[in-house]
Amino acid sequence: MPRTENAYSALHRIGLQDIFEQYNTGMTSWHADIAPQKISTKQQFYRFVQSGDFGLAPIVSQAAPIGDDDIWFGNQTDIYPVKRGLGFSLSTEALETDQYGELEKVVPKLKLAFNKTREQAAANIINFATFTGQYQGPDKKALAATDHPLDNGTDSNLITDAFSPLSLEKIVANMKQTKSHRGDPDPIMGPFVLFVHPSQEYYAMRVVNSAQLADTANNDKNVIGGRISKIVASPYFTNATFFGIRDANAAVQPFACLERRGLRVKTQEDIDNDVMKYRLTEMYAYFSKGWRGYHHSTGAGS
């Protein structure tokens, strides 16, 4: 009777999930710095409703009725997680002759590819901050715009200044002057996370960490540096001149990641072609919940 054998290398025997769990070296996490909040769902889409605020409390005479106030502003958006997939196939002959374990490296590289995909997806919130369509906020305006609608006018979270100590002071001051949908002061006080392109990272570090006023020869105290808690210079940012700040407080997060399904690993043996197939999928979407809590500059001359 002929001998039957199942002689695959460690890639198949140990299992992909075990290899995945062992492979965390080199995984970047800029995406978590951009959008730290995660929302889990099993539904086809998530409807994010942007609530408004109460107005100022009016003077009420004694024994006079107190009226109701309405915080519904009418802004909402539907977020659909999208599935991303990647895979590879290997002949059983290749698996059998993998004496040096080279094929086992393919699986960690796949995990790295999915991590890079997350980095790009998160960075695109910032890369397309001035775009509408897929990247617009609940108010149907670009994330960074000069005409976000209010009940009695508009408000802006967009400037076009080059990055410098003074422009950083300006953008932080603008955050403090943010208005609610009623047009009342709705200050975003920080501390803030600073987003810059890698080409400006070390300049940003000099600006933020300087004890004295950066770019000057005097001894004025650098007051703006204390308002920045972290600098994020993702290489997936595409605009070399932009900078932006996001509120670092957990309760004031403009960006989130909608998680539909985590990384799923599947294997299949195709006996007709005598190959092993490996497939990975993941479902999520990065989106902005609104423009408050983020202020953006496209850079000088843009």
Side-chain angles (χ1 to χ4, degrees), residues 238-294:
T238 56
N239 185 343
T241 64
F242 100 99
F243 73 100
I245 58 172
R246 169 182 66 76
D247 195 284
N249 293 300
V252 190
Q253 289 307 313
F255 310 136
C257 179
L258 181 61
E259 299 275 0
R260 168 74 182 274
R261 193 170 75 198
L263 201 59
R264 180 176 295 180
V265 184
K266 292 183 178 180
T267 63
Q268 181 187 45
E269 182 178 0
D270 185 342
I271 60 175
D272 291 330
N273 297 311
D274 199 19
V275 300
M276 291 300 301
K277 295 182 177 181
Y278 304 89
R279 297 293 184 267
L280 286 72
T281 59
E282 195 172 19
M283 292 187 71
Y284 59 86
Y286 285 89
F287 70 101
S288 64
K289 300 188 297 180
W291 60 274
R292 292 179 179 85
Y294 180 71

